[in-house]
Amino acid sequence: MVSRVIPVDEFDLVIFGATGDLANRKILPGLYRRVLAGQIPQGSQIIGAARSDMDAEAFRAQVRGAIEEHVNPAKIVPESVAEFLAMLDYVVIDAKGEGGWDDLKAKVRPDVINAFYFSVAPSLFGDLAERLHKRGIAGPDARIVVEKPFGRDLTSAKALNKALADHFDETQIYRIDHYLGKETVQNLMAVRFANILFEPLWNAQYVDHVQITVAETVGVGGRGSYYDKSGAMRDMVQNHMMQLLCLIAMEPPYHFDPDAVRDEKLKVIRALQSVAPNDMVRGQYLAKGDEPGYLADSEDPESKTESYIALKCHIANWRWTGTPFYLRTGKRLRARTSEIAITFKEPPHSIFDEAEGDWRENVLVIRLQPNEGMNLKMMIKEPGPGGMRLVQVPLDMSFAEALGEEADITDAYERLIMDVIRGNQTLFMRGDEVEAAWAWTDPIIEGWEARGDRPQPYDSGTSGPDDALMLMHRDGRRWREIRE
């Protein structure tokens, strides 16, 4: 099955920070793959803008290297690479000064779609927005894309939103969270709202609990100085995991429309109850072999920053009252995996009281990585004679297997950038949504800072601190095993 590719109108895309890691690892290789798919018109321009002193040819050589490093060799087609490189241009820019802005204005065409990707530190967002606006480079229909973090607390998030709103309307601002561009995340909405099968059961009457897991095998490494100002709560829960929770818990929007979807997500965030201290567990990974522990990676021997956090959350509304949502994320865990597991309640009455086997609840598992797909676990009779023996089996669908090896499973950044060009904000966060998330997060962080709580140490390569297991066990539940 080959996916249907919908072309976009001609555009000029300016990438600020075009020589940085994100641009070379994700953005530029992703744009090449869209050229390969025939989705980008030949007349489009992709303009790199950064401090690095180079000309357009040197930039093209850099991008060619990024493609060779980050694109599947089977998809490196010389003709398509040449076509993509011909779209590239470059300008040396001073984000906080005046250098390069006249050159940039001369390159950006006002008669096509204009988009500006801020792949830079948030401290530069305001400066870039001001210069784009005041110099007349970005018109009233232009779009700007900003990367997380969207502040580190409510106060800074409001200041950041104001710095952008001073020069751009909310309809022009695209706050990107690459988790929302994953195929499986969007399929979560399709499964819920395009099938009658699940939506009638998607509530506290039938759902026992929900688990959201984002586990990584790597440590903070060279990001120690950044991570010590962030931690797992700010880095993962406040944005990525919050978005996943919203998509699971939100009410059906009246239409698949940007503001309709985001209105429902905002209601979920505002309905989140505060988390009690005994409903959360924080941890720090220990050294293992040649791999340093968190305290060595952070360069602060007294650091209280968490590399792991588990939370038990409740949503105060009619749909979800009584159904807990368990969130956990951490570094240096047993395996790299991201998944959502919806565990349904047992039948109210079993006619198989004497049945042999391991009775378990139905579980719908949505895998974000690796091997994106969905898995529904159901009870059936084990084949063979000798009585009614029950066994749990999966109805398993990986996208690669179900749609064929040639299916175009688009990278999240590719999909989201194309949505920017189309002017579709459905999968991007709105300003009030970001602020509501921080309004819920800040009191939790302030609470453990006021108490002076230290994260619990845990061994690298495990599933996290022991107390995180007790968070579930005391409720008569257990975490799903972390595995590839």
Side-chain angles (χ1 to χ4, degrees):
M1 178 177 178
V2 179
S3 62
R4 183 166 59 97
V5 174
I6 303 174
V8 297
D9 293 331
E10 192 173 321
F11 63 87
D12 284 355
L13 171 64
V14 178
I15 304 173
F16 292 101
T19 58
D21 177 67
L22 179 63
N24 283 277
R25 185 166 42 88
K26 289 289 186 180
I27 299 172
L28 290 161
L31 287 166
Y32 161 72
R33 285 190 287 265
R34 291 301 89 204
V35 168
L36 183 65
Q39 198 171 13
I40 297 181
Q42 287 190 349
S44 297
Q45 285 191 113
I46 298 165
I47 304 167
R51 293 178 299 175
S52 301
D53 188 8
M54 65 171 72
D55 59 17
E57 283 305 314
F59 179 59
R60 292 185 186 108
Q62 173 192 299
V63 175
R64 182 187 292 274
I67 292 171
E68 292 172 351
E69 182 177 357
H70 298 292
V71 174
N72 185 333
K75 294 198 171 187
I76 298 180
V77 179
E79 295 80 6
S80 297
V81 172
E83 179 185 349
F84 178 58
L85 296 179
M87 297 179 181
L88 302 182
D89 205 342
Y90 184 80
V91 59
V92 180
I93 205 88
D94 181 359
K96 288 182 170 290
E98 303 305 313
W101 291 98
D102 289 339
D103 292 338
L104 180 60
K105 184 173 183 178
K107 294 178 185 294
V108 176
R109 298 169 296 172
D111 57 340
V112 300
I113 296 169
N114 293 165
F116 303 88
Y117 199 124
F118 293 4
S119 181
V120 295
S123 59
L124 297 177
F125 288 176
D127 295 297
L128 293 177
E130 179 182 8
R131 284 160 177 75
L132 285 172
H133 176 71
K134 288 189 174 180
R135 287 179 170 269
I137 302 173
D141 296 324
R143 296 125 201 201
I144 62 170
V145 186
V146 295
E147 281 279 350
K148 82 173 188 75
F150 311 111
R152 68 181 310 273
D153 52 25
L154 180 58
T155 300
S156 57
K158 285 183 174 180
L160 187 56
N161 279 339
K162 183 180 184 304
L164 298 176
D166 284 345
H167 308 289
F168 291 91
D169 187 78
E170 181 64 34
T171 59
Q172 297 178 274
I173 303 170
Y174 292 70
R175 298 170 186 83
I176 193 168
D177 184 335
H178 71 275
Y179 263 62
L180 293 184
K182 290 181 178 292
E183 192 73 38
T184 323
V185 173
Q186 293 174 74
N187 257 300
L188 172 59
M189 288 188 281
V191 166
R192 281 195 61 187
F193 304 132
N195 300 282
I196 194 64
L197 179 63
F198 287 112
E199 186 57 26
L201 308 178
W202 212 266
N203 54 61
Q205 183 178 353
Y206 297 104
V207 175
D208 179 77
H209 71 280
V210 177
Q211 295 183 33
I212 306 176
T213 298
V214 179
E216 299 178 86
T217 55
V218 298
V220 301
R223 299 174 65 222
S225 58
Y226 160 77
Y227 206 82
D228 242 357
K229 300 174 184 176
S230 171
M233 187 70 174
R234 289 187 173 99
D235 189 50
M236 291 298 298
V237 176
Q238 186 273 337
N239 41 75
H240 297 326
M241 301 186 79
M242 179 75 73
Q243 291 298 307
L244 298 180
L245 185 150
C246 287
L247 293 178
I248 298 166
M250 71 181 189
E251 294 296 321
Y254 73 87
H255 190 263
F256 192 61
D257 168 85
D259 277 330
V261 172
R262 296 188 294 180
D263 284 346
E264 297 304 334
K265 287 163 58 184
L266 180 60
K267 291 176 186 177
V268 173
I269 299 173
R270 288 177 172 169
L272 274 172
Q273 295 181 314
S274 59
V275 180
N278 63 340
D279 282 340
M280 72 179 79
V281 177
R282 299 165 65 237
Q284 280 183 352
Y285 60 81
L286 296 171
K288 181 180 180 181
D290 295 333
E291 296 178 339
Y294 181 84
L295 293 178
D297 278 340
S298 75
E299 301 176 358
D300 178 3
E302 301 298 324
S303 175
K304 295 181 181 179
T305 302
E306 75 284 354
S307 63
Y308 174 101
I309 189 165
L311 301 166
K312 178 183 177 182
C313 304
H314 289 278
I315 300 171
N317 62 23
W318 278 30
R319 181 181 287 262
W320 293 115
T321 292
T323 296
F325 287 70
Y326 298 95
L327 281 56
R328 61 173 170 170
T329 183
K331 295 186 176 295
R332 288 273 182 85
L333 299 179
R334 181 175 291 120
R336 174 179 173 268
T337 185
S338 297
E339 69 171 32
I340 303 163
I342 295 96
T343 299
F344 294 90
K345 294 180 178 179
E346 295 183 3
H349 172 70
S350 172
I351 65 172
F352 303 113
D353 292 337
E354 303 301 323
E356 300 176 8
D358 185 12
W359 182 282
R360 298 185 185 180
E361 307 97 331
N362 301 127
V363 184
L364 176 63
V365 181
I366 299 109
R367 295 189 305 271
L368 280 64
Q369 63 184 22
N371 189 22
E372 293 183 66
M374 296 189 183
N375 176 300
L376 177 60
K377 295 188 175 181
M378 304 182 68
M379 298 301 298
I380 68 166
K381 177 191 176 295
E382 185 177 1
M388 181 64 73
R389 296 188 305 274
L390 299 181
V391 61
Q392 190 179 58
V393 297
L395 298 177
D396 202 356
M397 186 202 79
S398 75
F399 292 135
E401 294 173 359
L403 303 180
E405 292 298 331
E406 295 184 0
D408 188 9
I409 307 301
T410 309
D411 179 81
Y413 277 95
E414 298 173 48
R415 177 178 293 104
L416 293 173
I417 291 172
M418 290 297 100
D419 278 355
V420 172
I421 302 304
R422 293 190 184 96
N424 185 348
Q425 291 185 303
T426 305
L427 299 175
F428 297 84
M429 287 182 284
R430 206 166 55 193
D432 54 0
E433 195 179 341
V434 172
E435 292 180 12
W438 279 119
W440 176 79
T441 304
D442 279 359
I444 299 173
I445 296 174
E446 291 165 0
W448 74 54
E449 289 179 344
R451 295 189 299 271
D453 294 352
R454 292 201 66 88
Q456 300 176 22
Y458 63 92
D459 292 330
S460 294
T462 65
S463 58
D466 291 340
D467 278 7
L469 302 178
M470 295 306 300
L471 186 66
M472 294 282 279
H473 287 176
R474 73 185 188 208
D475 293 340
R477 303 183 177 101
R478 61 183 180 182
W479 291 108
R480 286 174 49 79
E481 185 179 350
I482 294 178
R483 58 184 178 185
E484 292 282 357

